[in-house]
Amino acid sequence: MTSKIVACMVVKNEADIIEYTINRALNWASYIVIMDNNSSDETTDIIKRLSARNEKIIFWGRYEGAFRDSLRAIVFNDYKHLSKPGDWWCRLDADEIYIDNPLDFIAEANSCGVDHIYSASFQYYLTKNDSILLEETPSEFAPERYSYYKCDWSEIRFVKITTDTIWPLNFAQPLFLRKPSLQRIKLKHYQYRSIQQMQKRYNDRAPVAGKKLFSHELNKNKLWEVGQLNKDEGIYEFNDEELPKIKEYSFVRKLLFTTALNAINILNVRRIFEPSKEKV
Protein backbone atom coordinates (compact mmCIF):
# COMPACT_ATOMS: atom_id res chain seq x y z
CA MET A 1 0.00 0.00 0.00
CA THR A 2 1.39 3.43 -0.95
CA SER A 3 2.26 5.71 1.95
CA LYS A 4 0.77 9.19 2.01
CA ILE A 5 3.05 12.20 2.34
CA VAL A 6 1.99 15.33 4.20
CA ALA A 7 4.23 18.30 3.34
CA CYS A 8 4.70 20.86 6.11
CA MET A 9 5.76 24.36 5.08
CA VAL A 10 6.75 27.36 7.22
CA VAL A 11 7.32 30.25 4.84
CA LYS A 12 8.20 33.94 4.80
CA ASN A 13 8.46 36.35 1.88
CA GLU A 14 8.59 33.77 -0.92
CA ALA A 15 6.00 35.32 -3.26
CA ASP A 16 8.05 34.80 -6.42
CA ILE A 17 8.56 31.04 -5.97
CA ILE A 18 5.99 29.59 -3.57
CA GLU A 19 3.31 28.84 -6.19
CA TYR A 20 5.86 27.04 -8.37
CA THR A 21 7.02 24.94 -5.41
CA ILE A 22 3.49 24.06 -4.31
CA ASN A 23 2.44 23.03 -7.82
CA ARG A 24 5.47 20.70 -8.11
CA ALA A 25 4.85 19.24 -4.66
CA LEU A 26 1.24 18.41 -5.54
CA ASN A 27 2.67 15.71 -7.81
CA TRP A 28 3.70 13.68 -4.76
CA ALA A 29 2.12 15.17 -1.61
CA SER A 30 -1.32 14.12 -0.41
CA TYR A 31 -1.60 17.36 1.57
CA ILE A 32 0.45 20.53 1.91
CA VAL A 33 -0.06 22.40 5.19
CA ILE A 34 1.40 25.91 5.21
CA MET A 35 2.14 28.32 8.05
CA ASP A 36 3.02 31.87 7.02
CA ASN A 37 5.58 33.40 9.38
CA ASN A 38 4.52 37.03 9.08
CA SER A 39 5.33 37.69 5.41
CA SER A 40 5.41 41.30 4.26
CA ASP A 41 5.00 40.52 0.55
CA GLU A 42 2.18 38.73 -1.30
CA THR A 43 3.03 35.26 0.06
CA THR A 44 -0.01 35.08 2.35
CA ASP A 45 -2.43 36.09 -0.43
CA ILE A 46 -0.97 33.47 -2.78
CA ILE A 47 -1.38 30.72 -0.18
CA LYS A 48 -4.98 31.74 0.51
CA ARG A 49 -5.78 31.78 -3.20
CA LEU A 50 -4.26 28.35 -3.81
CA SER A 51 -5.86 26.78 -0.73
CA ALA A 52 -9.28 28.09 -1.77
CA ARG A 53 -8.93 26.26 -5.10
CA ASN A 54 -7.43 22.96 -3.91
CA GLU A 55 -8.43 21.05 -0.78
CA LYS A 56 -4.99 19.42 -0.68
CA ILE A 57 -3.48 22.82 0.15
CA ILE A 58 -4.24 23.86 3.73
CA PHE A 59 -3.46 27.32 5.08
CA TRP A 60 -2.63 27.00 8.77
CA GLY A 61 -2.66 30.79 9.17
CA ARG A 62 -0.14 33.48 10.06
CA TYR A 63 2.28 33.11 12.95
CA GLU A 64 3.62 36.54 13.89
CA GLY A 65 6.29 35.52 16.39
CA ALA A 66 9.98 34.97 15.68
CA PHE A 67 10.94 31.99 13.54
CA ARG A 68 12.17 28.83 15.21
CA ASP A 69 12.59 25.34 13.80
CA SER A 70 9.99 23.95 16.19
CA LEU A 71 7.18 25.89 14.45
CA ARG A 72 6.76 22.76 12.32
CA ALA A 73 5.80 20.88 15.48
CA ILE A 74 2.83 23.23 15.86
CA VAL A 75 1.70 22.45 12.31
CA PHE A 76 2.15 18.71 12.90
CA ASN A 77 0.19 18.62 16.15
CA ASP A 78 -2.66 20.60 14.61
CA TYR A 79 -2.87 18.40 11.49
CA LYS A 80 -1.46 15.02 12.47
CA HIS A 81 -4.94 13.57 11.86
CA LEU A 82 -4.16 13.81 8.12
CA SER A 83 -1.76 10.91 8.45
CA LYS A 84 -1.79 7.44 9.93
CA PRO A 85 1.01 5.08 11.01
CA GLY A 86 3.11 4.25 7.96
CA ASP A 87 2.62 7.67 6.33
CA TRP A 88 5.34 10.32 6.16
CA TRP A 89 5.68 14.02 6.96
CA CYS A 90 7.97 16.14 4.82
CA ARG A 91 9.63 19.37 5.82
CA LEU A 92 9.21 21.29 2.57
CA ASP A 93 10.82 24.71 2.27
CA ALA A 94 9.23 27.20 -0.12
CA ASP A 95 12.28 27.22 -2.40
CA GLU A 96 12.87 23.46 -2.75
CA ILE A 97 12.13 21.34 -5.81
CA TYR A 98 12.76 17.60 -5.63
CA ILE A 99 15.00 15.85 -8.14
CA ASP A 100 14.11 12.40 -6.81
CA ASN A 101 10.43 11.49 -6.75
CA PRO A 102 9.58 11.30 -3.02
CA LEU A 103 6.93 8.62 -3.63
CA ASP A 104 9.48 6.31 -5.27
CA PHE A 105 12.14 7.11 -2.69
CA ILE A 106 9.81 6.43 0.23
CA ALA A 107 8.61 3.15 -1.28
CA GLU A 108 12.22 2.00 -1.24
CA ALA A 109 12.76 3.39 2.27
CA ASN A 110 9.73 1.47 3.56
CA SER A 111 11.28 -1.76 2.36
CA CYS A 112 14.39 -0.97 4.44
CA GLY A 113 12.58 -0.20 7.68
CA VAL A 114 13.92 3.36 8.07
CA ASP A 115 12.03 6.14 9.84
CA HIS A 116 13.75 9.31 8.61
CA ILE A 117 15.48 10.56 5.47
CA TYR A 118 18.13 13.22 4.92
CA SER A 119 18.39 15.45 1.85
CA ALA A 120 21.22 16.04 -0.56
CA SER A 121 20.58 19.71 -1.25
CA PHE A 122 21.86 21.06 -4.55
CA GLN A 123 22.03 24.74 -3.62
CA TYR A 124 21.88 27.26 -6.45
CA TYR A 125 23.98 30.39 -6.05
CA LEU A 126 24.21 33.64 -7.97
CA THR A 127 27.46 34.27 -9.82
CA LYS A 128 29.12 37.52 -10.77
CA ASN A 129 28.06 36.77 -14.33
CA ASP A 130 24.42 36.62 -13.21
CA SER A 131 24.34 39.93 -11.37
CA ILE A 132 23.48 42.02 -14.45
CA LEU A 133 20.88 39.52 -15.68
CA LEU A 134 19.09 39.29 -12.33
CA GLU A 135 18.86 42.92 -11.31
CA GLU A 136 15.22 42.54 -10.28
CA THR A 137 13.35 39.64 -8.73
CA PRO A 138 11.16 38.12 -11.47
CA SER A 139 7.45 38.02 -10.63
CA GLU A 140 7.37 34.32 -11.57
CA PHE A 141 10.10 31.82 -10.80
CA ALA A 142 11.84 30.15 -13.75
CA PRO A 143 14.47 27.50 -12.89
CA GLU A 144 16.25 27.87 -16.22
CA ARG A 145 17.54 31.26 -15.06
CA TYR A 146 19.85 29.54 -12.57
CA SER A 147 22.75 27.40 -13.75
CA TYR A 148 25.33 27.04 -10.96
CA TYR A 149 25.17 25.07 -7.72
CA LYS A 150 27.05 23.29 -4.98
CA CYS A 151 25.67 20.24 -3.20
CA ASP A 152 26.80 21.40 0.21
CA TRP A 153 23.97 20.87 2.70
CA SER A 154 21.85 18.08 4.16
CA GLU A 155 19.09 17.96 6.78
CA ILE A 156 16.29 15.60 7.76
CA ARG A 157 13.45 16.13 5.29
CA PHE A 158 11.11 13.14 5.80
CA VAL A 159 9.92 11.46 9.00
CA LYS A 160 7.81 8.31 9.16
CA ILE A 161 4.74 8.42 11.38
CA THR A 162 4.23 5.49 13.78
CA THR A 163 1.90 4.75 16.66
CA ASP A 164 4.72 5.98 18.91
CA THR A 165 5.39 9.31 17.19
CA ILE A 166 5.83 12.12 19.73
CA TRP A 167 6.64 15.63 18.53
CA PRO A 168 6.62 18.19 21.39
CA LEU A 169 6.05 21.82 20.51
CA ASN A 170 9.59 22.90 21.42
CA PHE A 171 11.40 20.33 19.26
CA ALA A 172 12.50 20.68 15.63
CA GLN A 173 11.93 16.96 14.97
CA PRO A 174 9.88 14.18 16.55
CA LEU A 175 11.50 12.41 19.48
CA PHE A 176 13.08 8.95 19.33
CA LEU A 177 13.94 8.70 15.62
CA ARG A 178 15.96 5.53 15.35
CA LYS A 179 16.93 4.45 11.82
CA PRO A 180 17.93 6.92 9.09
CA SER A 181 18.07 6.04 5.42
CA LEU A 182 21.70 5.89 4.34
CA GLN A 183 20.58 7.17 0.93
CA ARG A 184 19.92 10.90 0.69
CA ILE A 185 16.98 12.23 -1.31
CA LYS A 186 18.11 14.80 -3.87
CA LEU A 187 16.52 18.22 -4.20
CA LYS A 188 17.24 21.60 -5.77
CA HIS A 189 17.32 24.55 -3.39
CA TYR A 190 16.81 27.97 -4.98
CA GLN A 191 17.38 30.12 -1.93
CA TYR A 192 19.04 32.99 -3.86
CA ARG A 193 17.10 34.24 -6.88
CA SER A 194 18.10 37.90 -7.37
CA ILE A 195 20.33 40.49 -5.80
CA GLN A 196 17.38 42.18 -4.09
CA GLN A 197 15.82 38.94 -2.89
CA MET A 198 19.19 37.73 -1.59
CA GLN A 199 19.64 40.89 0.47
CA LYS A 200 16.07 40.74 1.80
CA ARG A 201 16.56 37.09 2.76
CA TYR A 202 19.71 38.04 4.66
CA ASN A 203 17.92 40.89 6.43
CA ASP A 204 15.00 38.63 7.38
CA ARG A 205 17.32 36.06 8.89
CA ALA A 206 20.12 38.16 10.36
CA PRO A 207 18.22 39.07 13.60
CA VAL A 208 18.10 35.39 14.59
CA ALA A 209 21.60 34.57 13.38
CA GLY A 210 22.80 34.98 16.95
CA LYS A 211 20.84 31.84 17.75
CA LYS A 212 22.77 30.06 14.98
CA LEU A 213 19.56 29.11 13.18
CA PHE A 214 20.98 30.16 9.82
CA SER A 215 24.71 30.41 10.52
CA HIS A 216 25.42 27.63 8.00
CA GLU A 217 24.18 29.78 5.12
CA LEU A 218 24.70 33.44 5.98
CA ASN A 219 28.33 33.37 4.82
CA LYS A 220 27.14 32.07 1.43
CA ASN A 221 24.98 35.13 0.87
CA LYS A 222 27.28 36.51 -1.85
CA LEU A 223 28.07 36.50 -5.54
CA TRP A 224 30.24 33.54 -6.48
CA GLU A 225 32.89 33.01 -9.13
CA VAL A 226 31.69 30.57 -11.80
CA GLY A 227 34.75 28.40 -11.19
CA GLN A 228 33.72 27.83 -7.57
CA LEU A 229 30.48 26.11 -8.56
CA ASN A 230 29.16 23.22 -10.66
CA LYS A 231 27.35 23.89 -13.92
CA ASP A 232 23.90 22.33 -14.10
CA GLU A 233 24.07 19.83 -16.96
CA GLY A 234 21.28 17.57 -15.74
CA ILE A 235 23.55 15.09 -13.93
CA TYR A 236 23.17 15.39 -10.17
CA GLU A 237 25.96 13.66 -8.29
CA PHE A 238 27.43 14.50 -4.91
CA ASN A 239 30.22 13.50 -2.56
CA ASP A 240 28.68 12.14 0.61
CA GLU A 241 31.79 13.02 2.59
CA GLU A 242 31.30 16.74 1.85
CA LEU A 243 27.83 16.82 3.45
CA PRO A 244 26.86 16.90 7.14
CA LYS A 245 27.00 13.34 8.39
CA ILE A 246 23.88 11.21 8.64
CA LYS A 247 23.43 10.62 12.34
CA GLU A 248 23.33 6.88 12.94
CA TYR A 249 22.32 5.57 16.34
CA SER A 250 24.05 2.80 18.21
CA PHE A 251 22.30 -0.34 19.37
CA VAL A 252 22.42 0.96 22.95
CA ARG A 253 20.75 4.25 22.03
CA LYS A 254 18.06 2.47 20.01
CA LEU A 255 17.43 0.22 23.00
CA LEU A 256 17.13 3.25 25.27
CA PHE A 257 14.67 4.88 22.85
CA THR A 258 12.58 1.70 22.72
CA THR A 259 12.61 1.42 26.51
CA ALA A 260 11.56 5.05 26.90
CA LEU A 261 8.69 4.67 24.42
CA ASN A 262 7.50 1.50 26.13
CA ALA A 263 7.59 3.24 29.51
CA ILE A 264 5.65 6.22 28.14
CA ASN A 265 2.95 3.93 26.75
CA ILE A 266 2.78 1.56 29.73
CA LEU A 267 2.67 4.36 32.30
CA ASN A 268 0.29 6.41 30.15
CA VAL A 269 2.42 9.55 30.49
CA ARG A 270 2.21 10.58 26.84
CA ARG A 271 0.15 13.60 27.92
CA ILE A 272 3.39 15.16 29.26
CA PHE A 273 4.53 15.59 25.67
CA GLU A 274 1.21 16.58 24.13
CA PRO A 275 0.54 20.26 23.34
CA SER A 276 -2.19 22.17 25.06
CA LYS A 277 -5.46 22.59 23.18
CA GLU A 278 -4.94 26.34 23.04
CA LYS A 279 -4.08 27.64 19.57
CA VAL A 280 -0.54 29.01 19.42
Side-chain angles (χ1 to χ4, degrees):
M1 187 174 179
T2 303
S3 296
K4 292 202 305 285
I5 302 173
V6 179
C8 169
M9 302 179 72
V10 177
V11 304
K12 182 171 185 173
N13 293 333
E14 304 279 9
D16 62 306
I17 193 171
I18 188 168
E19 184 166 359
Y20 185 96
T21 300
I22 289 172
N23 286 336
R24 296 310 179 276
L26 286 171
N27 291 324
W28 49 265
S30 297
Y31 296 98
I32 304 173
V33 187
I34 311 167
M35 172 191 284
D36 182 88
N37 187 200
N38 203 24
S39 290
S40 58
D41 64 5
E42 295 79 30
T43 297
T44 305
D45 293 335
I46 293 170
I47 299 168
K48 288 180 177 179
R49 170 170 56 81
L50 295 176
S51 64
R53 294 178 180 177
N54 191 327
E55 63 183 11
K56 293 172 63 175
I57 303 168
I58 300 169
F59 181 40
W60 180 93
R62 283 173 63 93
Y63 179 83
E64 298 190 359
F67 175 82
R68 62 182 192 274
D69 276 331
S70 59
L71 289 179
R72 299 179 184 91
I74 299 174
V75 177
F76 171 78
N77 281 287
D78 282 346
Y79 284 95
K80 60 186 177 181
H81 61 274
L82 297 177
S83 56
K84 63 182 185 306
D87 292 335
W88 293 73
W89 273 66
C90 168
R91 167 188 163 170
L92 177 65
D93 288 351
D95 48 15
E96 291 180 344
I97 313 298
Y98 276 85
I99 298 169
D100 293 325
N101 185 329
L103 289 172
D104 295 338
F105 200 97
I106 280 175
E108 178 66 23
N110 282 336
S111 70
C112 300
V114 306
D115 63 2
H116 59 292
I117 298 168
Y118 283 76
S119 67
S121 296
F122 290 74
Q123 315 235 97
Y124 285 74
Y125 296 107
L126 298 181
T127 72
K128 293 180 179 179
N129 291 354
D130 294 327
S131 60
I132 296 175
L133 299 175
L134 303 177
E135 289 180 350
E136 296 182 1
T137 304
S139 58
E140 293 185 6
F141 173 73
E144 61 271 14
R145 295 172 67 93
Y146 309 96
S147 301
Y148 294 95
Y149 68 81
K150 286 176 71 71
C151 186
D152 59 358
W153 189 245
S154 179
E155 290 178 306
I156 294 174
R157 279 296 180 270
F158 290 85
V159 173
K160 190 172 188 177
I161 303 306
T162 72
T163 55
D164 294 322
T165 296
I166 298 173
W167 194 345
L169 292 184
N170 57 337
F171 280 76
Q173 306 286 352
L175 300 181
F176 308 124
L177 299 177
R178 284 171 280 191
K179 186 176 180 181
S181 170
L182 299 183
Q183 303 297 317
R184 304 181 198 253
I185 188 166
K186 297 192 291 292
L187 61 85
K188 296 181 179 184
H189 187 197
Y190 296 98
Q191 73 271 50
Y192 306 122
R193 302 182 294 278
S194 74
I195 303 301
Q196 288 82 2
Q197 178 268 337
M198 184 168 67
Q199 184 61 51
K200 183 168 177 51
R201 178 185 176 94
Y202 182 88
N203 293 341
D204 285 344
R205 294 175 173 226
V208 292
K211 299 180 181 178
K212 298 184 178 181
L213 285 174
F214 304 110
S215 58
H216 66 279
E217 72 164 64
L218 290 179
N219 63 344
K220 300 173 183 177
N221 194 94
K222 64 181 183 180
L223 294 178
W224 294 66
E225 299 287 351
V226 169
Q228 297 175 294
L229 304 172
N230 302 302
K231 178 73 182 298
D232 188 343
E233 296 178 338
I235 300 173
Y236 304 105
E237 298 176 344
F238 62 92
N239 183 345
D240 204 72
E241 296 300 317
E242 295 178 353
L243 296 175
K245 292 186 180 299
I246 293 175
K247 194 178 296 183
E248 296 186 67
Y249 298 113
S250 66
F251 171 79
V252 172
R253 188 158 184 174
K254 290 177 184 177
L255 182 61
L256 288 173
F257 282 179
T258 301
T259 302
L261 282 168
N262 287 340
I264 287 169
N265 291 327
I266 291 172
L267 299 175
N268 194 28
V269 295
R270 181 177 289 265
R271 64 184 179 278
I272 293 174
F273 300 97
E274 295 293 335
S276 68
K277 298 300 182 182
E278 184 178 350
K279 186 78 168 179
V280 178

